[in-house]
């Protein structure tokens, strides 16, 4: 039994794993778990570089629940071994497939810098960037009404503060977070920051240093792969055309609103 990755490319952590595996030619079976209907967000990612054609449908969602005790994506199945959580999966893949050292350096201080960023990321960039999508697309979809513009402004102010720290503390005048080569820290960061871009909040526009960093990351993993992995994000606004079952709306609307408090 080969490596199976259960992923939904609407998810930032899933995209980081997908890009990492593809850019390192890691052979895997892509088990696509879709949060929304298959037809909504355009084309599925093309297979290649060792990945088999994605298999969409309920079976993959059920499979992900069996693979991950947490019943969420990303999830990994490697023979009888299963694993959840983005960072754990990325580190497992980097070690098992002996990927180039720059991803997770053997140098103890550089590795510590990657660990430092990954720890900081969750309570800063990740605490704010995804909320732009919830505010502009997902919550209006499930509640049937837009949120006040003040809510988006509040989130963008928090994200701006995080981006300022990101540039001044982690990026500085370097090409990448830990120096001259891309690492897992850059990959985890960039997929998160593409979430606001997909809903029209271009956080790179007035930040030339951040924009140059993003372009270097795209070049490092390959522009075609980068944009293919983000195709669904760029088409996210098409979700507004979905007809949501009333019971699902009733269940999820208060949950989503609570997430933004």
């Amino acid at each position: 039994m080969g490596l199976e990755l259960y992923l939904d490319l609407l998810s930032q952590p899933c995209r980081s794993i997908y890009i990492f595996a593809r850019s390192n030619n890691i052979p895997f079976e892509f088990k696509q778990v879709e949060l929304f209907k298959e037809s909504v967000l355009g084309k599925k990612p093309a297979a290649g570089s060792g990945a088999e054609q994605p298999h969409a449908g309920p079976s993959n969602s059920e499979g992900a629940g069996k693979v991950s005790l947490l019943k969420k994506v990303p999830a990994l199945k490697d023979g009888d071994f299963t694993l959840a959580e983005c960072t754990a999966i990325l580190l497992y893949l980097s070690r098992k497939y002996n990927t180039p050292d720059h991803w997770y350096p053997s140098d103890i201080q550089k590795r510590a810098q990657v660990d430092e960023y990954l720890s900081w990321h969750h309570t800063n960039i990740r605490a704010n960037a995804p909320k732009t999508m919830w505010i502009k697309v997902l919550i209006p979809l499930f509640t049937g009404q837009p949120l006040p513009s003040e809510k988006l402004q509040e989130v963008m102010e928090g994200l701006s503060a995080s981006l300022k720290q990101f540039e001044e503390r982690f990026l500085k005048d370097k090409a990448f977070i830990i120096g001259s080569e891309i690492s897992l820290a850059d990959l985890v960061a960039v997929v998160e920051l593409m979430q606001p871009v997909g809903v029209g909040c271009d956080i790179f526009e007035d930040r030339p240093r951040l924009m140059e960093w993003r372009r270097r990351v795209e070049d490092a993993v390959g522009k075609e792969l980068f944009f293919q992995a983000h195709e669904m994000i760029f088409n996210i606004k098409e979700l507004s055309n979905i007809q949501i079952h009333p019971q699902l709306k009733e269940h999820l609307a208060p949950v989503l609103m609570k997430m933004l408090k």
Side-chain angles (χ1 to χ4, degrees), residues 216-232:
R216 286 190 291 269
V217 173
E218 291 175 8
D219 289 338
V221 301
K223 287 185 179 294
E224 183 177 354
L225 171 60
F226 185 86
F227 284 98
Q228 176 228 322
H230 287 87
E231 182 178 9
M232 288 195 290

Side-chain angles (χ1 to χ4, degrees), residues 5 10 13 22 27-28 31-32 36 44 70 86 97 123 130 139 146-147 158-159 176 196 198 201-202 237 240 243 259:
L5 295 176
L10 280 177
R22 288 284 307 276
F28 68 96
K31 298 288 191 176
Q32 183 165 342
F36 299 96
K44 298 176 187 174
L70 301 176
C86 174
Y97 294 96
T123 54
I139 289 178
L147 286 177
L159 181 55
F176 297 99
C201 301
D202 193 345
K237 291 185 178 179
S240 60
Q243 295 297 316
M259 290 175 62

